[in-house]
Amino acid sequence: MQWYVVASILTILTSSQGILTTLSQNNGGYKYDYATVPFLAEVFKLIVSSVLLWRECQSSPPPKMTTEWRIVRLYPIPSIIYLIHNNVQFATLTYVDASTYQIMCNLNIVTTGILFRLLLKRKLSNLQWMAIGLLAIRTTTSQVKGCGDAFCDSLFSSPVQGYMLGLLSACLSALAGVYTEFLMKKNNDSLYWQNIQLYTFGAIFNMARLVLDDFRSGFEKGPWWQRLFNGYDITTWLVVLNLGSTGLSVSWLMKYADNIVKVYSTSMAMLLTMVLSVFLFNFKPTVQLYLGIMICMVSLHMYFAPPSMLVDLPFTTKPQPQNLLEVSVDHSTDS
């Protein structure tokens, strides 16, 4: 399967994720425990990967599966980074408002490019760096409301701790993605075997969060496994399937493409969500939205197009050898 097909699927899944989550709400709240959704999504990814690995094992030759502890012990690290990242997110929101936080999240695009270069030793051309910078500007442009309201006053009036935590959040998000790509490409193990290791630890960490929530509430609503499916309807299950399918698509891109492709897919998803919201939620399109779409298209073309399509290289012709006339010189002198 070509990478751009999976990237397009990821764009559609990511854009529909926010829409499905909004549709699953009831009177502005959730009838279900939203902490159970990531756990069930991890279980879904684990089941799908196990089935696909079993099918792969029926073929000849069997897939490669590394079981050495020195390799397996690396797979909990992305889950730990994401766990820290989620807590930093909550801490950041205690210092800045939601709009400022969304704009600060766009630093993730730039930090991904920097860590992509430093940790994976992947060299980017000057045009590609410019394209990544444009993508960050595009995402920020589409989220800025304009200075006609109090937004511009709140953007630069937050405590410095909020900006430092926002920068840390962007770095942690980029680090988790780049490290996951490093794991997926570290050896030639089966993608589904690597997924099983990632999602097993992911399910364990999400289950630990549910247990911790029980202790915090004093088991007021009973243990987590008794209320696991409480309030679930068809829309909630679609949210779970969407989140699980998104994770499977990301792991494929980490194995066969790279983090930059994922960044572009999720950025395109933000635009697609805004466009769909025009029809689903009576969202009024703004000048920033149209400007953001144009900038994103330019950035996409700059990053992935061959340099010959972007720069008019001078046409050089090989110089033709000139016919040299042999001139005889009479060195004799009259005596």
Side-chain angles (χ1 to χ4, degrees):
M1 187 181 294
Q2 298 293 330
W3 66 265
Y4 51 80
V5 176
V6 180
S8 300
I9 293 173
L10 177 60
T11 297
I12 296 172
L13 289 171
T14 306
S15 64
S16 59
Q17 183 177 331
I19 294 174
L20 288 173
T21 304
T22 301
L23 293 175
S24 70
Q25 294 179 353
N26 185 22
N27 295 326
Y30 299 101
K31 295 170 60 178
Y32 56 91
D33 184 358
Y34 59 85
T36 60
V37 172
F39 171 73
L40 291 174
E42 294 294 323
V43 173
F44 169 75
K45 292 185 287 186
L46 188 58
I47 293 174
V48 171
S49 298
S50 300
V51 172
L52 293 175
L53 179 64
W54 175 80
R55 288 185 58 185
E56 200 174 43
C57 288
Q58 308 304 311
S59 61
S60 182
K64 181 183 176 183
M65 293 183 289
T66 302
T67 56
E68 299 178 13
W69 172 244
R70 64 183 182 86
I71 300 298
V72 175
R73 67 183 179 181
L74 301 176
Y75 281 83
I77 295 179
S79 298
I80 295 173
I81 296 175
Y82 279 121
L83 181 64
I84 299 173
H85 172 253
N86 291 337
N87 286 279
V88 172
Q89 279 184 312
F90 282 106
T92 305
L93 287 169
T94 62
Y95 292 100
V96 302
D97 56 44
S99 299
T100 304
Y101 175 75
Q102 286 298 323
I103 291 179
M104 291 173 61
C105 283
N106 299 326
L107 291 172
N108 174 46
I109 298 173
V110 179
T111 53
T112 297
I114 294 174
L115 294 179
F116 186 75
R117 174 68 182 93
L118 295 178
L119 301 184
L120 299 181
K121 308 300 182 183
R122 300 287 294 275
K123 187 176 181 179
L124 300 176
S125 67
N126 291 335
L127 277 174
Q128 288 177 322
W129 280 114
M130 290 172 62
I132 292 175
L134 271 179
L135 186 65
I137 294 172
R138 191 285 307 167
T139 312
T140 303
T141 300
S142 62
Q143 291 172 344
V144 170
K145 300 176 182 178
C147 292
D149 47 26
F151 172 75
C152 291
D153 295 332
S154 65
L155 181 58
F156 302 105
S157 60
S158 301
V160 67
Q161 297 95 320
Y163 299 113
M164 296 301 295
L165 287 171
L167 179 61
L168 177 61
S169 176
C171 291
L172 287 172
S173 177
L175 178 62
V178 172
Y179 184 82
T180 301
E181 181 179 347
F182 164 77
L183 278 183
M184 303 301 280
K185 294 178 178 175
K186 184 177 178 61
N187 51 41
N188 293 323
D189 279 6
S190 165
L191 168 65
Y192 309 121
W193 169 241
Q194 292 176 314
N195 281 347
I196 287 174
Q197 297 173 85
L198 280 173
Y199 302 145
T200 297
F201 289 111
I204 291 173
F205 279 106
N206 278 279
M207 184 173 64
R209 189 227 167 142
L210 292 172
V211 173
L212 183 60
D213 288 345
D214 284 345
F215 278 101
R216 285 176 175 175
S217 63
F219 292 88
E220 182 181 356
K221 299 180 181 179
W224 65 270
W225 61 83
Q226 291 184 359
R227 65 176 193 278
L228 187 60
F229 306 114
N230 288 352
Y232 271 59
D233 55 19
I234 183 64
T235 307
T236 313
W237 282 111
L238 287 176
V239 173
V240 173
L241 295 177
N242 178 282
L243 192 60
S245 301
T246 300
L248 292 170
S249 300
V250 168
S251 68
W252 193 98
L253 288 177
M254 294 297 100
K255 181 75 170 180
Y256 300 111
D258 55 47
N259 264 280
I260 305 299
V261 174
K262 187 200 79 170
V263 166
Y264 271 95
S265 297
T266 52
S267 297
M268 291 294 292
M270 296 173 68
L271 287 177
L272 183 57
T273 301
M274 292 181 181
V275 173
L276 292 176
S277 297
V278 173
F279 302 98
L280 296 176
F281 305 113
N282 295 323
F283 172 77
K284 293 183 179 180
T286 61
V287 175
Q288 291 93 328
L289 174 59
Y290 294 121
L291 184 60
I293 292 175
M294 289 187 291
I295 295 177
C296 190
M297 293 301 156
V298 172
S299 173
L300 194 66
H301 184 67
M302 286 178 61
Y303 189 89
F304 291 104
S308 58
M309 294 180 61
L310 300 171
V311 180
D312 290 332
L313 298 177
F315 180 74
T316 58
T317 58
K318 197 172 183 180
Q320 298 295 329
Q322 297 179 350
N323 294 328
L324 298 178
L325 299 176
E326 293 185 4
V327 179
S328 60
V329 179
D330 190 2
H331 294 282
S332 62
T333 58
D334 296 335
S335 55

